[in-house]
Amino acid sequence: MTRELKEVQGIIFKRQKFKEADLLAKIITKENGIITMIARGALRPKSKLGAALLNFSYGTYIIYTSGQGLSNLRTYKEVKQFDGLFNDLTKNAYASFILDLVDHAFVEYQPLGKYYSLTEFALQKINAGIDPEMITQICQMQLLDAYGVAPELRSCVICGKKRGVFDYSIKRGGIICSDHFYQETSRMHLEPKETAVLRTIGLLPIERLGSIAVNDATKRATRKAIDRIYQETVDLNLKTKKFLDELKLF
């Protein structure tokens, strides 16, 4: 395929040494998806490319690309950084996990659309000090659709009822109303408030969620529920998730 120079705007989220002085860096962009760039000579002392490829840097990158495989980074402009994410271990762990989830949900160069906006907004909120646990749970619930396992959260999967007391059934792929609790042995036995939180964070656009106020007990319950949903429907084994879980133990 023909290679061309292209400007892409996005966020750097992974980097690794390649050969003696080169870097490989992954960038998440809205229109061009996830791109792996090679920055030749970026590790040499006089190179300016390395500083623009730190994790959680964002801005405009000029690449030489064919739309598949490795792209060559030529230069950059107006690059800034989410300093809060880079310098704070806890924020870093949550943000890295969110980006890892996105990375595994899409193939390279696949446009991300609304999921780029979701990711960017989440990083901004975590960087600003908004509850990273709830921001992460929002992203997890809304990314289920990107994995092809979007749950039914608007109405009971059995009868279509929209109001009342609900629980969640992984087997049925969504919420069930109390009229059917007796016949659904696979339901998760969540408290009504916990199911309500899952519905809210799974359905509402993230920019409409505003200030998040969920008590610690409910957050633990919804975290456990979301972990089960992912284990039984997506079955990922991410190092970023393992590190985040270990971090929370301390």
Side-chain angles (χ1 to χ4, degrees):
M1 296 181 67
T2 305
R3 296 176 72 85
E4 62 177 350
L5 278 176
K6 178 179 287 190
E7 286 191 2
V8 296
Q9 291 78 41
I11 304 163
I12 303 294
F13 68 99
K14 283 184 182 178
R15 59 179 255 161
Q16 68 180 69
K17 183 178 179 180
F18 182 71
K19 295 185 177 178
E20 184 176 347
D22 302 339
L23 270 179
L24 291 179
K26 274 193 170 185
I27 184 172
I28 176 175
T29 74
K30 185 173 184 177
E31 303 298 335
N32 299 281
I34 296 166
I35 301 170
T36 301
M37 308 180 293
I38 182 168
R40 300 196 182 279
L43 294 178
R44 294 194 178 106
K46 294 184 179 180
S47 175
K48 296 181 180 180
L49 292 179
L53 297 175
L54 294 174
N55 284 341
F56 310 118
S57 297
Y58 61 95
T60 300
Y61 296 82
I62 293 83
I63 61 174
Y64 195 48
T65 182
S66 64
Q68 63 181 22
L70 285 177
S71 295
N72 289 85
L73 176 63
R74 291 301 182 87
T75 187
Y76 62 90
K77 56 185 179 182
E78 299 175 353
V79 170
K80 300 179 182 179
Q81 190 177 47
F82 289 112
D83 290 328
L85 304 182
F86 188 79
N87 295 317
D88 185 289
L89 182 60
T90 299
K91 292 179 180 180
N92 188 306
Y94 278 104
S96 296
F97 174 50
I98 291 170
L99 287 160
D100 211 7
L101 280 175
V102 177
D103 189 24
H104 281 77
F106 296 89
V107 297
E108 291 203 348
Y109 297 97
Q110 178 184 356
L112 303 187
K114 66 179 182 180
Y115 296 105
Y116 178 83
S117 300
L118 173 69
T119 306
E120 182 181 45
F121 193 86
L123 298 188
Q124 289 171 348
K125 288 296 186 182
I126 295 174
N127 188 66
I130 305 299
D131 187 347
E133 174 64 35
M134 284 312 303
I135 294 295
T136 301
Q137 290 189 28
I138 291 165
C139 290
Q140 285 183 278
M141 286 300 294
Q142 299 203 6
L143 278 166
L144 286 169
D145 190 17
Y147 280 100
V149 289
E152 173 54 65
L153 299 171
R154 297 184 184 278
S155 58
C156 175
V157 294
I158 298 175
C159 67
K161 191 174 182 179
K162 296 180 182 294
R163 295 186 178 183
V165 176
F166 295 92
D167 196 358
Y168 193 98
S169 168
I170 296 177
K171 179 181 178 181
R172 289 187 178 270
I175 59 170
I176 57 171
C177 71
S178 57
D179 292 345
H180 306 285
F181 283 0
Y182 69 95
Q183 70 185 72
E184 188 48 68
T185 58
S186 69
R187 69 187 183 93
M188 298 179 74
H189 295 277
L190 299 176
E191 295 293 331
K193 182 178 180 180
E194 296 160 3
T195 308
V197 170
L198 292 183
R199 296 181 74 190
T200 299
I201 65 178
L203 291 172
L204 277 183
I206 191 170
E207 65 272 13
R208 291 180 55 193
L209 287 166
S211 176
I212 301 170
V214 178
N215 65 51
D216 289 342
T218 300
K219 274 193 289 188
R220 285 193 296 269
T222 53
R223 155 61 55 223
K224 185 177 180 181
I226 293 171
D227 283 350
R228 277 192 60 194
I229 293 169
Y230 266 81
Q231 288 165 5
E232 297 185 32
T233 60
V234 182
D235 192 27
L236 291 174
N237 184 22
L238 303 181
K239 291 182 179 179
T240 50
K241 178 62 166 67
K242 182 179 179 182
F243 178 74
L244 183 58
D245 288 344
E246 291 173 348
L247 187 64
K248 284 188 286 188
L249 291 176
F250 295 93

